[in-house]
């Protein structure tokens, strides 16, 4: 079974998974970073491309060094509580 982070670099809808990876690592929506890259690309495309690939190497390195970091944090604490029946567990709502 493959982990979502291991396939982040090879998905068809991303280029290296830089924005998605940084968004997961730092806790923000990746579209904000995509917008920032698009705006900066207008002023200095070479610098943006170089920065993007450098961040791609950083994300790939972090996924290689810490492969299960996000998966282990995704287990809800309330679900592991044996005193609460599963049908009464409150899951967090998406924003």
């Amino acid at each position: 079974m493959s982990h979502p982070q291991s396939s982040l670099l090879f998905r068809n809808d991303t280029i290296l998974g830089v924005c998605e990876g940084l968004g997961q690592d730092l806790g923000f929506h990746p579209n904000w970073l995509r917008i920032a890259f698009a705006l900066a690309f207008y002023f200095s495309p070479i610098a943006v491309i170089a920065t993007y690939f450098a961040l791609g190497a950083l994300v790939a390195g972090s996924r290689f060094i810490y492969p299960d970091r996000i998966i282990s944090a995704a287990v809800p604490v309330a679900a592991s509580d044996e005193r609460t029946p599963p049908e009464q567990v409150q899951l967090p709502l998406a924003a």
Side-chain angles (χ1 to χ4, degrees):
M1 178 176 189
S2 70
H3 295 143
Q5 285 74 27
S6 65
S7 64
L8 184 64
L9 300 175
F10 302 110
R11 290 179 12 190
N12 290 333
D13 61 343
T14 63
I15 303 172
L16 298 179
V18 173
C19 297
E20 185 76 25
L22 287 174
Q24 287 175 356
D25 290 347
L26 301 176
F28 63 88
H29 198 281
N31 283 345
W32 291 112
L33 189 56
R34 291 177 181 122
I35 291 170
F37 274 128
L39 292 175
F41 190 81
Y42 177 75
F43 296 106
S44 180
I46 305 247
V48 170
I49 291 170
T51 302
Y52 188 84
F53 281 108
L55 289 173
L58 182 70
V59 168
S62 73
R63 296 294 190 253
F64 179 72
I65 294 170
Y66 304 108
D68 293 334
R69 180 180 46 184
I70 295 175
I71 291 173
S72 63
V75 176
V77 176
S80 66
D81 189 5
E82 295 176 8
R83 294 174 284 148
T84 306
E87 61 273 355
Q88 293 180 358
V89 174
Q90 296 292 322
L91 297 176
L93 298 175

